[in-house]
Amino acid sequence: MSSENRKYKWVGTRQIRPDGHDKVTGRAKFGSDFSVSGMIHGRVLRSPHAHAIIKSIDTSDAESLNGVKAIITSKDFKDQSPELKAAGEGMINYKDMTRNIMAREKALYDGHAVAAVAATTAEIAEAALELIKVDYEVLPHVIDVDEAMKDGAPILHEDMVPSGITIDGPTNIAKFVEFSLGDTKKGFEEADIIIERSYKTEAVHQGYIEPHAVVASVTEDGQAQIWCCTQGQFQVRAFVAQLLGMPTSSIRVTPSEIGGGFGGKTVVYLEPLATLLSKKSGKPVKMIMTREEVFRASGPTSGGSMTYKIGAKKDGKITAVEGSNKLLAGAFSGAPAGPACMCAVAPYDIKNVYINGYDVVVNRPKVAAYRAPGAPISAFGAESIIDEVAKELGIDPLTIRKLNAAKKGTQAAYGPTFREIGYEQTLDIAIEHDHYLSPLGPNQGRGVASGFWFNIGGESSATVNINEDGTAVVISGSPDIGGSRASLALMAAETLGIDYDKVRPIVADTASVGYNFVTGGSRVTFATGLAVVEAAKDAVRQLCERAAKIWEVDAEAVIWDDGHAKPASSNVGDFEPLSLSSLAGQANKTGGPICGHNAQNVQGAGPAFATHICDVEVDPETGNVTILRYTAIQDVGRAIHPSYVEGQIQGGAAQGIGWALNEEYIYNSKGKLDNPGFLDYRIPVASDLPMIDAVIVEVPNDRHPYGVRGVGEVPIVPPMAAVANAIENATGVRMSALPMSPPRLLAALDQANVKEAAE
Amino acid sequence: MAKHHISMTLNGEPTEFLCSTRQTLLDVLRDELNLTGSKEGCASGDCGACSVMVDDRLVCACLVLGAECDGKTVESIEGMADGENLHPLQQKFLEEAALQCGICTPGVLVAAKALLEKNNNPTETEVRYWLAGNLCRCTGYDKIVRAVMSTAADMRGDSK
Amino acid sequence: MNFAPVAYKPKGEKIKMESIQFRKPETVDEAVKLLQGADGNAKILAGGTDLLVQLRAHMIDPSVIVDIKHIDETRELTKNVDGSYTIGAAVAGAEAHERDDITADWPGVIEAWDLIGSTQIQGRASLGGNLCNASPAGDSVPAMVAAGMTANIAGPDGRRTLPVEEITAGPGKTNLKKGEFIVSFNLPAKPSNGGDAYLRLIPRTEMDIAVVGCGAALTLDDSGTVTSAKISLGAVAATVLVVEDAANAIIGTKLEPEAMSALDAACQAACNPIDDKRGTVEYRTKVAGVLGKRVVKIAADRAGNKV
């Protein structure tokens, strides 16, 4: 189906979101705001060691504490086989998952859950934790990806056999992937210049302000109800079912409002524990992570160690790129090595590419998805090295990108051929933007960088119920992180031809709507939106049939226009248009309730590209960096609700800036996390950032009725390189490790000054 | 140990509760009074999601003991709207899309209201530094700052 | 209710469901008696911005919390007849910041106090708490020291007064005796041609603990020559430092480049910092010199009425 650039009545307007009033008054219920009567409280005992064999756990003293109702350890969970099982789009290793939620043979990171207690008060649960005796045999640990790959490194899983690569003996390498196109040897021979560099990034946390929280209630008949803040209630249901050996149908998961996720709440930590504690105690159990637990024990994204080699001709045409991304996975395999490789140079038309990736386990919490997983890491390297090529050749950094830009018909190194895409448009806008043309002062510099993310589709189900009074309820199953309910309502209103105010979108639990894959992957407005539109069209079809019945004509003779059923032509007859509300009022007489449905595994997600421009000022005596100005230009396909699209772009850019400048995990020599709090895990605060100018480009995705691509993830891909390139421009110093915090930058500046003085 | 019997004024209403010494004002609001609008993001005063007013001072509720509140006047997010009528800041936040997930929003609104009551013509820098104690991970602060300044302009009667 | 996990240090002894007493004395004597009676196990509550964090993290285990905010002396903020100030130990930063007189006389003290945490923290944070928490990085302390502030202490043996720099003994430790607490501070009258300033270095623009903090107070004569100076560094040693060599480097000068270099070197030489999650030894040392120069310049501008 085509999507012409026509004027829409609702799509593209900035309506007030349907959940807005609850959110600005404090009424909205987030994960920890939920309570049920008779509820008891759960707490988790966590390993103080980065790597240790668990020789025994003695819970007897804790069990005898008055008020303790249940205690669980790994022996309460059935072991799982290592064969991957499907849950939604992903293939899941439950053997790893059961060990992550509750340590079995070993504690594999500081903060790893070892036991859990439910008691009548949180205070008693805390006291009970102190009575649990765990006998640890502390082992040497490793937290650095390069160290973990060396011979003689402490091994986390003796029996782990890597996939994609053969290694003699035990290893921490879980997976190896590689992508190639053309012949890089030949490509480098054609090059006039070749640059080779190494890069390093630190693990960073998604940083959602809301800690994980759950209330689980299992009744005597084995029925479980789970309320939790999650990006995917269907995932939670699937995981809990598998981990606890319960039938899927016996579990009902209701997602609360969610206080941020960014990928980090597409997994489970507390949910299986709370459910099992509830089963054992016979009472509903509430569990919340403290901020410290969130940092110690919930998934960050990988840190990476990368090398890139790039060859280019004098005119700027890139002839070859080779790269290697070694990403740390945390305690279990799962680093986004594949996407890191696939996205690294995806904005470019390069004929000879070879990029490989390693997924390496280390003694840290298991990584979880974080906004375009892997891509920001590899883009930091790729976009920095392209900048160096531009500088060496004396070509403007946007011009060199334009010269090599991927377009419709370009084959990406990871396989597919692009359909219509908007990358070049982002460059064209950047190069003429006021930001790019404005002057800079002393100690100031400007950097640009581009980025890419595939975006995904996935399982989506939606129902559109037409109420008797002509209003509509749109039921879907995608937790709303960024305003997607508003977008779904806009698209439904547009399709039905009724006012936005007459459409009520709700996010349903797992028992009330068909399967929906997680909110993530920039997929909700695209895929859930597509299902909503198709469900609305299904309702429209039924409404036309009802009109046909009333008029006693064939259904094909009725069309839908502007919220009304109309005769397809004057030949059909002289009938007054019937409004949706009028048809709705007659629904019972014409056949019964009108409900539109759609369920599908949505394909055809449109890849998204962005180009960012960043100005910095560097204090040469302290290494402090001020972000003076930031512009983010992105092709979103179609901005259904422009304000929330801008918001996604601004938020992703802000996270990328934090990643670039100050965010990192700091571990001490024992492998314990030294900064598990917002004081020393430094996300950007309001005074750290300027206004972020979000420029929306619309090159519609022809596989979506309104042209939507995803928007949420690409914005985090360019910022680190944009900031690094700006710092280089301001100081002449190239930072190749993140974060570019003041001590590191000052040391680099001082080293450069010493070198300069010596020359 | 007996609990403390505390009487205070909360959002204009006389309010009584029992609490232990350890319970913070945030614990009291959420667990004893069932007012979950103030959020716990960190329990250590670093995120501002629990911002409330105590005797006309903007504070983190997680850093005030419930037992301290005897005789005090406390205002939380639940008291910001006047019945059905949203405070201009609340309305502006909706119109300008100054929230995404909404978890930080109650704290930001309480803090912004305190700012505008003290200074009805803040510069962008003043707004940013005043709100530095309110962490937001979703918005990058852009639309929040714009909404606060736009509300200030409205309240001054400036034409935009 | 919500508690931070204590899995690091499993306690050997039996768990007692502790209950902490909460007391609100209205006189100094009452407070002293409570502190004495708790035999070292009492904690003072002023603004609570350190106490409640430590309580929640199980870093402290008091038997009684003594809220001193009901004692008038701890809440006053008075300009005395001679131009000096008496500042109650529990006065919140936000209150002080609203006072035009003290802000005009001692902008360095006020800006240092103001830098303790966010606006919300400012609604509670007190000088007494910031000092007695004895973090080497406490923002108000270098400015208090540079300004020549003293602390009025009450205890079982009566009252005594100590310069602020003699209060802290090491990270988390003070020189206060059992049963003693700080009731108020004395801030001298602003000297004519005097100026003070405080700067700190943090990685972000707000919300961080100081990596280095530097307070300076000086006086100039009519020719712009420095006639007296006190320079204090925070976060670069176990306690706040008074850097006499830095003061001597600029006294009698007009802050010419050579004097500033000597000041820089003196600040660096005085440092004895540690490597921790907030800064390295090299970084702190270097920046101490940078801040020393910058803060002295601001203080001098203020003294010469240029700011």
Side-chain angles (χ1 to χ4, degrees):
Chain A
M1 77 206 75
S2 71
S3 82
E4 326 85 78
N5 223 343
R6 59 180 198 268
K7 253 313 181 208
Y8 295 114
K9 189 167 180 199
W10 296 106
V11 164
T13 62
R14 300 176 192 252
Q15 303 301 320
I16 292 192
R17 57 196 279 177
D19 55 315
H21 283 76
D22 282 350
K23 296 215 163 136
V24 297
T25 55
R27 266 199 306 271
K29 293 285 185 203
F30 291 81
S32 63
D33 298 335
F34 195 80
S35 290
V36 294
S37 62
M39 199 169 74
I40 64 176
H41 299 269
R43 285 292 182 274
V44 178
L45 182 66
R46 299 187 179 277
S47 164
H49 304 294
H51 195 192
I53 297 174
I54 298 173
K55 297 174 73 182
S56 67
I57 304 179
D58 179 0
T59 59
S60 47
D61 281 351
E63 280 168 44
S64 61
L65 189 62
N66 217 350
V68 169
K69 298 300 177 193
I71 301 187
I72 56 173
T73 65
S74 63
K75 64 172 169 27
D76 295 284
F77 290 91
K78 243 176 56 145
D79 203 352
Q80 304 280 334
S81 76
E83 288 96 57
L84 301 179
K85 292 191 176 64
E89 273 227 345
M91 296 303 285
I92 307 292
N93 183 331
Y94 283 103
K95 180 178 179 211
D96 285 351
M97 189 187 291
T98 192
R99 281 161 178 73
N100 193 41
I101 57 145
M102 188 65 79
R104 254 176 205 270
E105 303 86 2
K106 280 184 174 185
L108 290 161
Y109 49 95
D110 166 39
H112 197 171
V114 164
V117 173
T120 48
T121 70
E123 217 177 4
I124 294 174
E126 284 281 323
L129 291 185
E130 297 199 15
L131 295 175
I132 298 176
K133 299 188 203 41
V134 184
D135 188 9
Y136 293 105
E137 181 187 315
V138 180
L139 301 171
H141 69 278
V142 61
I143 56 165
D144 177 82
V145 62
D146 291 311
E147 291 299 316
M149 291 174 76
K150 288 193 179 138
D151 283 333
I155 299 293
L156 274 71
H157 308 286
E158 299 282 337
D159 58 352
M160 179 171 80
V161 176
S163 86
I165 190 172
T166 309
I167 295 181
D168 282 328
T171 176
N172 290 318
I173 297 171
K175 201 161 156 192
F176 174 79
V177 291
E178 57 187 352
F179 300 85
S180 54
L181 190 66
D183 178 349
T184 49
K185 186 159 178 288
K186 202 158 133 290
F188 284 122
E189 280 163 15
E190 290 166 17
D192 294 320
I193 65 158
I194 295 177
I195 299 182
E196 199 166 348
R197 295 280 182 266
S198 303
Y199 301 92
K200 193 107 185 217
T201 70
E202 292 294 326
V204 294
H205 194 274
Q206 297 81 347
Y208 30 85
I209 306 299
E210 176 201 36
H212 301 264
V214 59
V215 175
S217 175
V218 181
T219 45
E220 302 78 14
D221 57 351
Q223 296 298 306
Q225 300 233 59
I226 301 173
W227 297 269
C228 57
C229 51
T230 177
Q231 292 172 247
Q233 63 275 41
F234 289 91
Q235 297 273 90
V236 172
R237 183 181 69 172
F239 295 159
V240 172
Q242 181 66 34
L243 293 170
L244 269 58
M246 296 169 73
T248 307
S249 55
S250 69
I251 302 171
R252 183 174 187 179
V253 182
T254 303
S256 68
E257 297 296 338
I258 176 173
F262 315 108
K265 290 181 179 160
T266 59
V267 293
V268 292
Y269 301 106
L270 301 176
E271 295 84 348
L273 307 187
T275 308
L276 194 55
L277 283 169
S278 177
K279 201 167 175 197
K280 251 188 146 182
S281 66
K283 299 204 172 293
V285 174
K286 182 171 188 172
M287 296 182 80
I288 306 174
M289 278 200 195
T290 63
R291 177 52 50 186
E292 190 190 312
E293 289 179 288
V294 171
F295 277 114
R296 287 173 73 210
S298 74
T301 192
S302 303
S305 183
M306 302 169 278
T307 55
Y308 278 92
K309 180 176 173 187
I310 186 168
K313 287 192 155 345
K314 269 201 300 278
D315 67 357
K317 197 87 186 81
I318 299 171
T319 58
V321 169
E322 279 180 1
S324 180
N325 301 299
K326 304 183 192 73
L327 302 187
L328 65 82
F332 301 94
S333 164
C341 296
M342 292 192 270
C343 296
V345 291
Y348 308 106
D349 182 1
I350 305 173
K351 298 289 186 277
N352 307 299
V353 177
Y354 172 78
I355 303 188
N356 67 32
Y358 294 83
D359 170 6
V360 181
V361 296
V362 296
N363 293 111
R364 291 174 182 244
K366 179 180 195 302
V367 301
Y370 178 22
R371 216 159 191 166
I377 300 168
S378 61
F380 173 59
E383 293 292 318
S384 292
I385 208 170
I386 287 172
D387 212 58
E388 287 207 54
V389 169
K391 189 157 187 192
E392 175 135 345
L393 294 176
I395 301 176
D396 168 85
L398 288 173
T399 305
I400 201 172
R401 285 173 170 84
K402 173 108 194 213
L403 182 63
N404 290 282
K407 349 171 163 359
K408 179 174 177 171
T410 301
Q411 184 180 19
Y414 69 93
T417 302
F418 290 129
R419 297 160 74 103
E420 200 71 58
I421 55 174
Y423 177 47
E424 272 189 294
Q425 286 85 330
T426 68
L427 293 168
D428 292 336
I429 289 175
I431 214 162
E432 305 207 318
H433 198 280
D434 172 72
H435 182 173
Y436 204 63
L437 303 170
S438 49
L440 289 163
N443 294 317
Q444 296 180 357
R446 180 165 298 145
V448 301
S450 295
F452 163 85
W453 185 250
F454 336 79
N455 300 332
I456 62 170
E459 288 101 331
S460 312
S461 308
T463 299
V464 173
N465 287 334
I466 306 297
N467 298 324
E468 316 90 275
D469 64 352
T471 59
V473 179
V474 172
I475 306 171
S476 63
S478 297
D480 183 352
I481 310 187
S484 46
R485 265 168 295 195
S487 306
L488 298 177
L490 286 166
M491 288 188 279
E494 192 76 48
T495 309
L496 293 170
I498 59 176
D499 280 357
Y500 172 80
D501 289 341
K502 295 209 186 316
V503 178
R504 198 79 219 149
I506 66 164
V507 177
D509 63 60
T510 54
S512 307
V513 71
Y515 197 99
N516 274 265
F517 192 50
V518 297
T519 290
S522 312
R523 63 172 291 278
V524 174
T525 312
F526 169 67
T528 306
L530 200 154
V532 164
V533 170
E534 291 304 311
K537 286 183 178 171
D538 185 25
V540 162
R541 251 187 304 276
Q542 295 173 45
L543 288 160
C544 288
E545 280 165 9
R546 303 305 177 89
K549 219 172 195 172
I550 292 169
W551 294 333
E552 293 174 353
V553 300
D554 287 333
E556 298 79 53
V558 182
I559 57 159
W560 189 261
D561 177 43
D562 193 29
H564 289 74
K566 296 178 178 169
S569 71
S570 52
N571 293 344
V572 176
D574 187 17
F575 298 108
E576 281 301 304
L578 282 167
S579 70
L580 187 149
S581 58
S582 140
L583 286 164
Q586 302 178 64
N588 278 341
K589 290 188 299 187
T590 57
I594 300 172
C595 313
H597 292 290
N598 187 260
Q600 57 178 292
N601 189 344
V602 177
Q603 304 298 309
F609 297 83
T611 298
H612 290 194
I613 311 169
C614 175
D615 287 355
V616 301
E617 183 173 312
V618 178
D619 183 332
E621 290 184 308
T622 66
N624 277 71
V625 174
T626 305
I627 307 285
L628 297 172
R629 188 168 175 181
Y630 203 93
T631 304
I633 305 153
Q634 183 171 331
D635 170 23
V636 306
R638 172 97 54 209
I640 303 296
H641 192 311
S643 304
Y644 290 107
V645 169
E646 288 161 359
Q648 289 292 305
I649 293 172
Q650 292 163 336
Q655 286 178 314
I657 290 169
W659 197 334
L661 291 180
N662 277 309
E663 291 181 39
E664 61 180 321
Y665 277 62
I666 303 170
Y667 282 92
N668 70 11
S669 58
K670 292 203 167 73
K672 287 173 68 66
L673 186 58
D674 227 2
N675 64 335
F678 280 130
L679 180 59
D680 291 303
Y681 183 86
R682 306 186 183 110
I683 75 173
V685 299
S687 44
D688 289 338
L689 298 171
M691 296 296 184
I692 300 171
D693 193 0
V695 179
I696 294 175
V697 171
E698 289 182 320
V699 174
N701 171 19
D702 62 2
R703 314 269 291 267
H704 183 279
Y706 293 111
V708 169
R709 301 181 189 271
V711 63
E713 288 169 291
V714 175
I716 203 176
V717 179
M720 290 111 79
V723 174
N725 294 339
I727 289 175
E728 198 279 334
N729 191 247
T731 63
V733 167
R734 166 62 58 182
M735 298 297 284
S736 52
L738 298 182
M740 298 175 283
S741 54
R744 295 179 185 212
L745 182 51
L746 188 63
L749 290 173
D750 286 348
Q751 206 178 37
N753 287 339
V754 165
K755 229 168 121 199
E756 215 183 277
E759 278 158 10
Chain B
M1 164 81 220
K3 293 203 173 181
H4 310 290
H5 180 206
I6 306 297
S7 302
M8 66 182 193
T9 305
L10 176 60
N11 297 328
E13 296 293 325
T15 303
E16 288 179 55
F17 56 88
L18 296 175
C19 69
S20 69
T21 304
R22 274 188 184 270
Q23 280 178 285
T24 63
L25 174 58
L26 182 63
D27 295 331
V28 165
L29 288 171
R30 291 178 58 81
D31 301 332
E32 306 300 331
L33 301 174
N34 278 319
L35 294 171
T36 57
S38 308
K39 307 298 179 192
E40 182 177 304
C42 70
S44 53
D46 297 312
C47 76
C50 65
S51 299
V52 295
M53 303 295 288
V54 175
D55 283 354
D56 288 322
R57 283 281 169 221
L58 179 66
V59 294
C60 285
C62 70
L63 294 184
V64 177
L65 291 178
E68 286 183 75
C69 293
D70 203 40
K72 297 233 183 287
T73 303
V74 175
E75 293 159 57
S76 68
I77 182 64
E78 287 89 350
M80 193 159 167
D82 176 18
E84 278 190 349
N85 302 314
L86 294 179
H87 185 278
L89 275 168
Q90 291 170 307
Q91 184 62 34
K92 189 70 71 172
F93 269 48
L94 292 178
E95 289 167 7
E96 306 266 309
L99 62 144
Q100 286 181 37
C101 80
I103 193 83
C104 74
T105 306
V108 170
L109 284 169
V110 171
K113 177 167 179 267
L115 170 64
L116 296 187
E117 280 168 3
K118 207 169 126 82
N119 174 2
N120 75 349
N121 196 1
T123 62
E124 180 187 332
T125 303
E126 284 172 331
V127 174
R128 288 184 179 277
Y129 274 89
W130 183 272
L131 293 179
N134 289 86
L135 299 184
C136 174
R137 196 56 162 166
C138 292
T139 67
Y141 306 102
D142 183 298
K143 291 182 189 292
I144 289 176
V145 173
R146 287 183 202 276
V148 173
M149 296 187 64
S150 168
T151 309
D154 286 353
M155 287 166 89
R156 288 193 305 272
D158 290 2
S159 54
K160 278 188 237 186
Chain C
M1 280 217 277
N2 214 339
F3 294 86
V6 196
Y8 300 129
K9 334 185 241 294
K11 295 184 184 141
E13 65 270 22
K14 261 191 72 142
I15 302 297
K16 53 181 182 1
M17 299 311 290
E18 44 80 359
S19 48
I20 309 174
Q21 292 188 38
F22 183 77
R23 294 278 184 267
K24 306 182 286 190
E26 292 183 14
T27 67
V28 170
D29 287 340
E30 254 187 84
V32 169
K33 278 204 191 63
L34 284 166
L35 295 175
Q36 253 191 312
D39 199 35
N41 229 353
K43 282 291 179 186
I44 303 258
L45 172 63
T49 56
D50 288 316
L51 182 75
L52 269 65
V53 175
Q54 292 163 5
L55 203 57
R56 175 132 291 182
H58 294 271
M59 286 162 60
I60 54 173
D61 193 13
S63 58
V64 58
I65 291 176
V66 180
D67 184 349
I68 58 168
K69 298 193 290 293
H70 297 264
I71 303 168
D72 288 342
E73 260 189 88
T74 69
R75 303 302 307 279
E76 66 169 306
L77 182 49
T78 313
K79 184 163 190 174
N80 302 311
V81 169
D82 63 356
S84 70
Y85 292 87
T86 305
I87 306 175
V91 171
E95 295 171 52
H97 199 237
E98 283 164 2
R99 287 277 297 260
D100 291 336
D101 48 6
I102 187 173
T103 305
D105 285 353
W106 290 102
V109 171
I110 295 301
E111 68 200 353
W113 195 350
D114 191 43
L115 281 171
I116 305 171
S118 61
T119 314
Q120 289 87 344
I121 300 296
Q122 282 294 299
R124 299 267 285 172
S126 67
L127 292 180
N130 197 231
L131 178 63
C132 293
N133 187 49
S135 159
D139 275 309
S140 68
V141 184
M144 284 205 277
V145 167
M149 286 176 70
T150 57
N152 300 314
I153 303 162
D157 297 335
R159 300 272 190 144
R160 61 186 183 123
T161 298
L162 281 182
V164 163
E165 57 263 44
E166 289 180 33
I167 298 291
T168 55
K173 293 192 188 57
T174 69
N175 287 318
L176 297 178
K177 299 194 212 117
K178 210 186 290 187
E180 285 190 317
F181 74 105
I182 298 180
V183 180
S184 62
F185 293 91
N186 306 308
L187 173 60
K190 176 190 157 143
S192 51
N193 292 343
D196 75 328
Y198 174 78
L199 282 179
R200 70 174 180 185
L201 197 167
I202 51 173
R204 294 179 289 183
T205 57
E206 250 294 1
M207 299 302 284
D208 288 324
I209 299 292
V211 177
V212 182
C214 188
L218 49 80
T219 54
L220 304 174
D221 68 16
D222 292 327
S223 74
T225 304
V226 177
T227 48
S228 72
K230 196 166 179 190
I231 316 254
S232 173
L233 284 171
V236 292
T239 62
V240 69
L241 297 176
V242 178
V243 192
E244 282 190 35
D245 288 346
N248 291 334
I250 59 170
I251 291 173
T253 77
K254 291 195 177 128
L255 302 180
E256 304 87 348
E258 309 83 56
M260 295 303 255
S261 289
L263 165 72
D264 185 338
C267 285
Q268 291 200 45
C271 288
N272 190 17
I274 55 170
D275 275 338
D276 72 2
K277 60 194 169 195
R278 296 177 186 138
T280 59
V281 168
E282 304 83 58
Y283 185 67
R284 289 182 143 123
T285 306
K286 178 150 203 277
V287 171
V290 171
L291 288 192
K293 289 185 293 190
R294 292 183 183 182
V295 78
V296 157
K297 176 109 199 354
I298 299 172
D301 286 347
R302 286 175 175 165
N305 278 322
K306 293 206 197 87
V307 176

